[in-house]
mmCIF file of all heavy atoms in Angstrom:
data_model
loop_
_atom_site.group_PDB
_atom_site.id
_atom_site.type_symbol
_atom_site.label_atom_id
_atom_site.label_comp_id
_atom_site.label_asym_id
_atom_site.label_seq_id
_atom_site.Cartn_x
_atom_site.Cartn_y
_atom_site.Cartn_z
ATOM 1 N N GLU Y 282 16.388 -14.933 -21.039
ATOM 2 C CA GLU Y 282 16.766 -13.921 -20.059
ATOM 3 C C GLU Y 282 17.058 -12.617 -20.777
ATOM 4 O O GLU Y 282 17.668 -12.591 -21.837
ATOM 5 C CB GLU Y 282 18.029 -14.369 -19.306
ATOM 6 C CG GLU Y 282 17.822 -15.613 -18.465
ATOM 7 C CD GLU Y 282 16.878 -15.341 -17.301
ATOM 8 O OE1 GLU Y 282 16.755 -14.177 -16.894
ATOM 9 O OE2 GLU Y 282 16.265 -16.306 -16.807
ATOM 10 N N GLN Y 283 16.611 -11.508 -20.175
ATOM 11 C CA GLN Y 283 16.846 -10.211 -20.780
ATOM 12 C C GLN Y 283 18.264 -9.770 -20.465
ATOM 13 O O GLN Y 283 18.672 -9.706 -19.322
ATOM 14 C CB GLN Y 283 15.856 -9.180 -20.249
ATOM 15 C CG GLN Y 283 14.429 -9.439 -20.686
ATOM 16 C CD GLN Y 283 13.499 -8.333 -20.234
ATOM 17 O OE1 GLN Y 283 13.934 -7.405 -19.580
ATOM 18 N NE2 GLN Y 283 12.246 -8.435 -20.588
ATOM 19 N N GLY Y 284 18.999 -9.439 -21.504
ATOM 20 C CA GLY Y 284 20.338 -8.919 -21.324
ATOM 21 C C GLY Y 284 20.421 -7.515 -21.879
ATOM 22 O O GLY Y 284 19.440 -6.995 -22.408
ATOM 23 N N PRO Y 285 21.578 -6.864 -21.786
ATOM 24 C CA PRO Y 285 21.716 -5.525 -22.341
ATOM 25 C C PRO Y 285 21.412 -5.524 -23.832
ATOM 26 O O PRO Y 285 21.809 -6.419 -24.566
ATOM 27 C CB PRO Y 285 23.184 -5.182 -22.063
ATOM 28 C CG PRO Y 285 23.570 -6.070 -20.926
ATOM 29 C CD PRO Y 285 22.798 -7.334 -21.128
ATOM 30 N N VAL Y 286 20.692 -4.537 -24.275
ATOM 31 C CA VAL Y 286 20.308 -4.413 -25.672
ATOM 32 C C VAL Y 286 21.088 -3.267 -26.288
ATOM 33 O O VAL Y 286 21.160 -2.181 -25.717
ATOM 34 C CB VAL Y 286 18.794 -4.139 -25.806
ATOM 35 C CG1 VAL Y 286 18.405 -4.016 -27.262
ATOM 36 C CG2 VAL Y 286 18.000 -5.237 -25.126
ATOM 37 N N ASP Y 287 21.676 -3.505 -27.426
ATOM 38 C CA ASP Y 287 22.401 -2.450 -28.120
ATOM 39 C C ASP Y 287 21.376 -1.527 -28.778
ATOM 40 O O ASP Y 287 20.991 -1.718 -29.919
ATOM 41 C CB ASP Y 287 23.343 -3.051 -29.175
ATOM 42 C CG ASP Y 287 24.195 -1.969 -29.844
ATOM 43 O OD1 ASP Y 287 24.188 -0.822 -29.351
ATOM 44 O OD2 ASP Y 287 24.847 -2.288 -30.857
ATOM 45 N N SER Y 288 20.917 -0.555 -28.022
ATOM 46 C CA SER Y 288 19.821 0.281 -28.497
ATOM 47 C C SER Y 288 20.149 1.761 -28.326
ATOM 48 O O SER Y 288 19.431 2.508 -27.685
ATOM 49 C CB SER Y 288 18.542 -0.065 -27.719
ATOM 50 O OG SER Y 288 18.774 0.047 -26.335
ATOM 51 N N ARG Y 289 21.276 2.176 -28.850
ATOM 52 C CA ARG Y 289 21.672 3.569 -28.710
ATOM 53 C C ARG Y 289 20.722 4.465 -29.499
ATOM 54 O O ARG Y 289 20.172 4.080 -30.508
ATOM 55 C CB ARG Y 289 23.114 3.759 -29.189
ATOM 56 C CG ARG Y 289 24.105 2.952 -28.356
ATOM 57 C CD ARG Y 289 25.540 3.199 -28.775
ATOM 58 N NE ARG Y 289 26.426 2.376 -27.980
ATOM 59 C CZ ARG Y 289 26.850 2.691 -26.764
ATOM 60 N NH1 ARG Y 289 26.456 3.811 -26.215
ATOM 61 N NH2 ARG Y 289 27.647 1.889 -26.098
ATOM 62 N N PRO Y 309 15.491 2.312 -29.643
ATOM 63 C CA PRO Y 309 14.889 1.006 -29.977
ATOM 64 C C PRO Y 309 14.759 0.130 -28.730
ATOM 65 O O PRO Y 309 15.583 0.184 -27.821
ATOM 66 C CB PRO Y 309 15.890 0.409 -30.973
ATOM 67 C CG PRO Y 309 16.673 1.573 -31.489
ATOM 68 C CD PRO Y 309 16.747 2.536 -30.350
ATOM 69 N N LYS Y 311 13.355 -3.958 -27.242
ATOM 70 C CA LYS Y 311 12.964 -5.327 -27.606
ATOM 71 C C LYS Y 311 11.461 -5.483 -27.601
ATOM 72 O O LYS Y 311 10.894 -6.239 -28.387
ATOM 73 C CB LYS Y 311 13.602 -6.328 -26.647
ATOM 74 C CG LYS Y 311 15.105 -6.481 -26.793
ATOM 75 C CD LYS Y 311 15.643 -7.507 -25.814
ATOM 76 C CE LYS Y 311 15.114 -8.898 -26.087
ATOM 77 N NZ LYS Y 311 15.705 -9.907 -25.182
ATOM 78 N N ARG Y 333 15.264 -0.442 -17.642
ATOM 79 C CA ARG Y 333 15.826 0.898 -17.467
ATOM 80 C C ARG Y 333 16.648 1.295 -18.691
ATOM 81 O O ARG Y 333 17.380 0.476 -19.249
ATOM 82 C CB ARG Y 333 16.684 0.910 -16.199
ATOM 83 C CG ARG Y 333 17.213 2.265 -15.779
ATOM 84 C CD ARG Y 333 17.952 2.140 -14.454
ATOM 85 N NE ARG Y 333 17.035 1.907 -13.338
ATOM 86 C CZ ARG Y 333 16.548 2.860 -12.554
ATOM 87 N NH1 ARG Y 333 16.915 4.129 -12.751
ATOM 88 N NH2 ARG Y 333 15.736 2.570 -11.557
ATOM 89 N N TRP Y 334 16.495 2.564 -19.084
ATOM 90 C CA TRP Y 334 17.249 3.107 -20.205
ATOM 91 C C TRP Y 334 17.987 4.350 -19.722
ATOM 92 O O TRP Y 334 17.374 5.282 -19.195
ATOM 93 C CB TRP Y 334 16.325 3.486 -21.362
ATOM 94 C CG TRP Y 334 15.617 2.321 -21.963
ATOM 95 C CD1 TRP Y 334 16.006 1.583 -23.044
ATOM 96 C CD2 TRP Y 334 14.393 1.733 -21.518
ATOM 97 N NE1 TRP Y 334 15.099 0.582 -23.300
ATOM 98 C CE2 TRP Y 334 14.101 0.648 -22.377
ATOM 99 C CE3 TRP Y 334 13.508 2.007 -20.470
ATOM 100 C CZ2 TRP Y 334 12.959 -0.143 -22.213
ATOM 101 C CZ3 TRP Y 334 12.386 1.220 -20.305
ATOM 102 C CH2 TRP Y 334 12.113 0.157 -21.177
ATOM 103 N N ASP Y 337 22.497 7.195 -22.426
ATOM 104 C CA ASP Y 337 23.146 6.684 -23.633
ATOM 105 C C ASP Y 337 22.188 5.877 -24.502
ATOM 106 O O ASP Y 337 22.560 5.414 -25.584
ATOM 107 C CB ASP Y 337 24.354 5.819 -23.263
ATOM 108 C CG ASP Y 337 24.009 4.661 -22.325
ATOM 109 O OD1 ASP Y 337 22.811 4.510 -21.988
ATOM 110 O OD2 ASP Y 337 24.929 3.928 -21.932
ATOM 111 N N GLY Y 338 20.945 5.665 -24.050
ATOM 112 C CA GLY Y 338 19.976 4.914 -24.831
ATOM 113 C C GLY Y 338 20.108 3.414 -24.731
ATOM 114 O O GLY Y 338 19.403 2.684 -25.417
ATOM 115 N N VAL Y 339 20.993 2.915 -23.868
ATOM 116 C CA VAL Y 339 21.196 1.475 -23.731
ATOM 117 C C VAL Y 339 20.222 0.919 -22.688
ATOM 118 O O VAL Y 339 20.070 1.483 -21.600
ATOM 119 C CB VAL Y 339 22.651 1.146 -23.337
ATOM 120 C CG1 VAL Y 339 22.803 -0.341 -23.048
ATOM 121 C CG2 VAL Y 339 23.598 1.578 -24.445
ATOM 122 N N GLU Y 340 19.568 -0.183 -23.025
ATOM 123 C CA GLU Y 340 18.638 -0.824 -22.105
ATOM 124 C C GLU Y 340 19.389 -1.720 -21.125
ATOM 125 O O GLU Y 340 20.174 -2.578 -21.532
ATOM 126 C CB GLU Y 340 17.609 -1.651 -22.874
ATOM 127 C CG GLU Y 340 16.586 -2.336 -21.982
ATOM 128 C CD GLU Y 340 15.509 -3.061 -22.775
ATOM 129 O OE1 GLU Y 340 15.252 -2.666 -23.928
ATOM 130 O OE2 GLU Y 340 14.944 -4.034 -22.233
ATOM 131 N N ARG Y 341 19.144 -1.510 -19.837
ATOM 132 C CA ARG Y 341 19.754 -2.330 -18.792
ATOM 133 C C ARG Y 341 18.859 -3.529 -18.472
ATOM 134 O O ARG Y 341 17.641 -3.460 -18.626
ATOM 135 C CB ARG Y 341 19.969 -1.514 -17.526
ATOM 136 C CG ARG Y 341 21.328 -0.811 -17.448
ATOM 137 C CD ARG Y 341 21.526 0.223 -18.501
ATOM 138 N NE ARG Y 341 22.786 0.953 -18.339
ATOM 139 C CZ ARG Y 341 23.176 1.924 -19.121
ATOM 140 N NH1 ARG Y 341 22.429 2.298 -20.140
ATOM 141 N NH2 ARG Y 341 24.327 2.522 -18.923
ATOM 142 N N THR Y 342 19.465 -4.581 -18.000
ATOM 143 C CA THR Y 342 18.728 -5.793 -17.663
ATOM 144 C C THR Y 342 17.739 -5.519 -16.537
ATOM 145 O O THR Y 342 18.071 -4.899 -15.531
ATOM 146 C CB THR Y 342 19.698 -6.901 -17.228
ATOM 147 O OG1 THR Y 342 20.641 -7.132 -18.262
ATOM 148 C CG2 THR Y 342 18.941 -8.190 -16.933
ATOM 149 N N ALA Y 343 16.515 -5.997 -16.692
ATOM 150 C CA ALA Y 343 15.508 -5.865 -15.646
ATOM 151 C C ALA Y 343 15.885 -6.752 -14.466
ATOM 152 O O ALA Y 343 16.279 -7.900 -14.654
ATOM 153 C CB ALA Y 343 14.134 -6.248 -16.177
#
Side-chain angles (χ1 to χ4, degrees):
E282 295 293 336
Q283 292 185 359
V286 180
D287 184 10
S288 55
R289 298 183 182 277
K311 290 181 64 177
R333 187 176 288 265
W334 296 266
D337 56 2
V339 174
E340 181 175 334
R341 270 64 175 181
T342 303

